[in-house]
Amino acid sequence: MTQPKEELGMLERHDELIHHDIIPRLEKVEKAQMDFSTQAEVITGQVKEVTVQVAEIKSSQTNLELTVMKDGQETRSILNKFVDHYFATDKERLQTERDVIHVDERITLKRFSTREKIVLGVVGAFAGSGGILAGIAALIQFFK
């Protein structure tokens, strides 16, 4: 009969050990597992949110790149038109200046009298490249 008392004492110690030591430990482990599961769900949700945000950022970046490229193309087009217009205007101005100079030369020649034109022609003939030689040849023939 001592065995049942010993067994009963052993059972009471085991019961006391289970209730005071093992069960609180198991409760802590279960709570930690629950916390871990909850945190894993939260982290999974956050990862999904970050993934969605990264996809949105990529899409926005692509849209921004397209917008910048279109704006750059439009800017180049406008600048090309401006440059073409500027050079056309500059070319027209130079042509106008040439035309004015040419007209001034014609007007100047038209203002000479007939006598002045003849003198100018004779001087031009003698002062021109072949005119000097022709004048010298004429003078040599004259003195012979």
Side-chain angles (χ1 to χ4, degrees):
M1 298 245 167
T2 55
Q3 269 186 347
K5 281 187 181 183
E6 286 179 16
E7 288 178 7
L8 188 62
M10 191 168 71
L11 283 175
E12 285 178 6
R13 279 185 299 205
H14 282 263
D15 188 46
E16 198 175 296
L17 181 68
I18 288 172
H19 285 298
H20 292 293
D21 193 28
I22 294 176
I23 291 180
R25 285 184 182 178
L26 284 175
E27 287 174 352
K28 287 180 182 178
V29 168
E30 287 176 350
K31 185 177 182 304
Q33 285 179 339
M34 293 289 280
D35 290 344
F36 180 76
S37 295
T38 304
Q39 288 177 356
E41 289 174 9
V42 169
I43 290 173
T44 303
Q46 289 174 345
V47 168
K48 287 180 182 177
E49 286 179 31
V50 168
T51 304
V52 168
Q53 289 175 349
V54 167
E56 289 175 355
I57 289 170
K58 284 181 179 179
S59 175
S60 296
Q61 182 179 1
T62 302
N63 290 338
L64 181 63
E65 287 174 358
L66 290 173
T67 302
V68 168
M69 286 176 19
K70 285 179 183 177
D71 286 348
Q73 185 177 14
E74 290 174 3
T75 301
R76 282 190 301 276
S77 174
I78 290 170
L79 286 175
N80 284 337
K81 288 178 184 176
F82 173 75
V83 168
D84 290 343
H85 175 73
Y86 176 77
F87 282 122
T89 304
D90 197 38
K91 193 184 277 186
E92 288 176 11
R93 184 179 54 81
L94 288 174
Q95 185 61 38
T96 304
E97 287 176 6
R98 286 185 201 136
D99 291 346
V100 167
I101 290 170
H102 186 66
V103 168
D104 285 345
E105 288 173 355
R106 279 188 277 149
I107 291 172
T108 304
L109 286 177
K110 288 180 182 177
R111 288 183 185 161
F112 286 145
S113 67
T114 306
R115 186 175 183 189
E116 290 171 335
K117 286 180 185 177
I118 293 171
V119 171
L120 186 61
V122 170
V123 170
F126 283 112
S129 60
I132 294 174
L133 294 175
I136 293 172
L139 286 174
I140 291 173
Q141 288 295 328
F142 181 70
F143 288 118
K144 279 187 181 179

